[in-house]
Amino acid sequence: MIIHLDLDCFFASCERLRDPSLIGKRLVVGGRGDPFIFDKNPAQAKKLITLNSGAFVPALFHASHNSNHYFNDENTIRGIVLTASYEARAFGVKTGMSLHEALRLCPDLILVPPNHLLYHTMSHKLMEYLATLVPVMEQYSIDEMFGDLGGWIAEEETERFVIHLQKQITERFNLPVSIGASTSKWIAKLATSAAKPYGIRVIKKDNIKEFVNDIPIDDFPGVGKAYSAKMANYGIKTIGDAWESKILITSWGRAGQDLYARFTGSDNESVSARQSRKGIGISRSMDHPVKERSELYRRISVMVRHWSHTIIKLGVNPTTYSFSLGYENWGSSKKQYTTYRLFNEHFIQHFAHEKFKELDLYPHIPVRYIAMSATKFIHHDPKTFNILEYHNDTKMRNLTDALTKMREKYGMDIVRGGGEL
Ligand SMILES: [Mg+2]
């Protein structure tokens, strides 16, 4: 059997780990993260760091219940809901809704700015733990994973195993999770949706038809708007309807055949244990585009410092980096680079500055958007690294590790780079 795990209101659950007073409250995570990241005087941020340093989180991004930063110049609230607690969902608050709308539905809602490093760290720890219990695990998104129990847990033992798994995750991580199981990935995922919140659901092969019969077609994972509309034209509203329309759907080429196989749980798509984390990135949009290049590069230094810290904390070594700049009313400039270097902060600061200078094709136009991301992780095998740089990178890496320890203890702003002054 294939299992699918989906953490219940994951970002909100993570915030509750940090601040248990949020348990049971109507809560949304949304708006903008780390509002003080570009502050020149980090004193205020530092205070927030000590207030918010929880058991798990290296104090990187600063969450605060002071909601001033939610408001823009016109004093209207901005941002969208990333995750709502079930207590807030009872009022109709949903992911993707504007905070403005969410507050209208539920005026005493608590807003918490997102703390992505915390969510990444928790997700990573959970995946590491799951890999010790299930031989083949695939990370599908930050809060969803697939696991293949084939050859490991007998089919009739699935339910018992899944109950055990849910209990273990609750005990170790204090995170509520829902788990679905079936003979295919997408039916397992659908089973999880049916089990939420904090439930389990096992769908045996012979029960798939009965289970999917009345589920609306739009609830099936990965059915896009185009196919949904196309099927609606033929009166196909539920997955049960789709089962009855084999000739029609499979006549829509390869995509139609794949879709039909998914609907019926006969797709045979495998759980793949490949490192599926897409990358680690950081990006910021400016309310006021930055024209002054010295200020632009100061902000780039700040972002690289946070980004580098995250990469080190996750224990990965990227080999591909992409950078992009968005201009005010002008489109953007973007490029990807591959380099085999032992990751360290000194290297990435220089590399990022050099590449951003190349990318800045219109240095007289204000920049409204800065983004950087790292992908293609490899293990620390000296053979694959650039030999000429390796000796120096090793020294710089030791320095970076020392900085990482200090920042975890005293906050991200305790040591800042020369480029930020
Ligand atoms: Mg979830």
Side-chain angles (χ1 to χ4, degrees):
M1 296 283 262
I2 290 174
I3 55 171
H4 172 260
L5 297 89
D6 187 339
L7 293 146
D8 301 328
C9 58
F10 181 49
F11 296 175
S13 298
C14 288
E15 295 302 333
R16 286 169 167 172
L17 292 177
R18 276 209 306 186
D19 181 355
S21 75
L22 296 171
I23 294 168
K25 300 274 168 60
R26 295 161 199 156
L27 153 77
V28 295
V29 175
R32 299 188 172 184
D34 47 52
F36 308 109
I37 185 172
F38 293 131
D39 277 10
K40 286 193 173 151
N41 174 6
Q44 185 196 13
K46 239 183 250 160
K47 203 167 93 211
L48 288 163
I49 284 168
T50 26
L51 280 175
N52 288 290
S53 298
F56 296 102
V57 59
L60 173 48
F61 296 127
H62 329 305
S64 110
H65 291 262
N66 169 351
S67 55
N68 285 339
H69 64 273
Y70 280 114
F71 296 90
N72 63 19
D73 295 344
E74 292 78 44
N75 220 27
T76 51
I77 199 147
R78 65 188 182 189
I80 60 157
V81 174
L82 297 176
T83 302
S85 72
Y86 281 86
E87 292 81 355
R89 289 182 203 196
F91 287 74
V93 176
K94 284 192 260 196
T95 297
M97 183 177 270
S98 72
L99 291 176
H100 184 84
E101 172 72 357
L103 280 168
R104 196 184 59 78
L105 293 169
C106 182
D108 61 353
L109 198 61
I110 299 171
L111 309 182
V112 180
N115 188 332
H116 292 288
L117 180 62
L118 171 63
Y119 315 146
H120 277 289
T121 311
M122 288 310 299
S123 173
H124 193 72
K125 283 185 176 168
L126 181 63
M127 264 305 273
E128 279 185 340
Y129 173 68
L130 289 170
T132 66
L133 299 179
V134 180
V136 184
M137 286 295 306
E138 172 186 335
Q139 182 125 31
Y140 183 66
S141 70
I142 191 165
D143 68 338
E144 292 180 52
M145 298 99 186
F146 285 108
D148 189 350
L149 304 185
W152 182 250
I153 303 290
E155 200 159 322
E156 59 275 16
E157 292 289 314
T158 307
E159 182 148 340
R160 215 164 67 168
F161 180 77
V162 164
I163 292 170
H164 168 76
L165 202 58
Q166 188 189 43
K167 190 163 163 273
Q168 290 295 307
I169 295 169
T170 310
E171 280 173 12
R172 280 189 175 242
F173 297 91
N174 208 4
L175 288 171
V177 63
S178 298
I179 309 177
S182 192
T183 50
S184 83
K185 284 171 92 168
W186 310 108
I187 303 297
K189 184 163 156 61
L190 214 49
T192 310
S193 307
K196 277 187 158 296
Y198 201 65
I200 60 148
R201 186 79 188 260
V202 178
I203 309 291
K204 294 197 179 113
K205 193 165 184 63
D206 293 342
N207 300 333
I208 294 177
K209 175 78 202 285
E210 188 193 353
F211 169 63
V212 298
N213 202 53
D214 299 326
I215 296 177
I217 210 88
D218 289 336
D219 290 357
F220 199 88
V223 173
K225 283 207 176 88
Y227 275 100
S228 169
K230 197 167 177 173
M231 285 186 276
N233 279 339
Y234 289 97
I236 302 171
K237 293 197 183 77
T238 65
I239 303 168
D241 295 340
W243 276 54
E244 307 300 329
S245 316
K246 180 173 182 178
I247 293 171
L248 175 71
I249 295 173
T250 54
S251 74
W252 298 338
R254 181 69 198 267
Q257 289 154 21
D258 288 350
L259 204 55
Y260 190 81
R262 285 185 172 196
F263 286 149
T264 51
S266 54
D267 53 71
N268 288 320
E269 287 176 44
S270 62
V271 176
S272 100
R274 75 195 138 79
Q275 170 67 271
S276 48
R277 175 189 283 284
K278 287 195 186 82
I280 300 167
I282 182 169
S283 64
R284 286 296 174 276
S285 296
M286 261 54 83
D287 290 338
H288 303 289
V290 179
K291 182 154 196 231
E292 193 58 56
R293 282 328 189 233
S294 61
E295 174 60 13
L296 175 72
Y297 286 105
R298 190 188 70 81
R299 292 187 180 205
I300 287 172
S301 297
V302 173
M303 287 170 66
V304 171
R305 169 163 54 90
H306 285 81
W307 180 46
S308 164
H309 184 79
T310 310
I311 292 169
I312 297 279
K313 283 299 298 169
L314 291 173
V316 295
N317 199 111
T319 54
T320 297
Y321 303 91
S322 52
F323 302 102
S324 77
L325 281 181
Y327 291 100
E328 187 180 36
N329 313 321
W330 195 269
S332 61
S333 182
K334 185 176 182 178
K335 213 168 165 182
Q336 201 174 63
Y337 307 88
T338 294
T339 180
Y340 290 86
R341 294 279 297 266
L342 177 66
F343 188 82
N344 66 83
E345 188 171 334
H346 178 82
F347 149 70
I348 197 61
Q349 281 287 4
H350 281 81
F351 193 70
H353 278 255
E354 188 185 304
K355 299 311 176 194
F356 272 113
K357 282 192 178 118
E358 285 175 26
L359 276 177
D360 192 9
L361 302 173
Y362 311 103
H364 54 289
I365 299 178
V367 167
R368 58 168 177 83
Y369 179 80
I370 308 169
M372 48 195 88
S373 73
T375 53
K376 305 252 168 70
F377 307 130
I378 52 170
H379 292 291
H380 290 185
D381 175 7
K383 285 197 287 296
T384 55
F385 289 122
N386 181 331
I387 304 292
L388 292 172
E389 306 284 1
Y390 187 67
H391 181 67
N392 192 38
D393 279 343
T394 307
K395 281 200 288 195
M396 288 301 178
R397 176 53 187 253
N398 291 339
L399 180 63
T400 303
D401 288 343
L403 286 177
T404 304
K405 281 200 185 108
M406 280 179 72
R407 285 175 180 149
E408 274 185 55
K409 206 162 170 186
Y410 301 109
M412 264 320 278
D413 293 316
I414 192 75
V415 184
R416 295 188 285 161
E420 297 179 35
L421 304 174

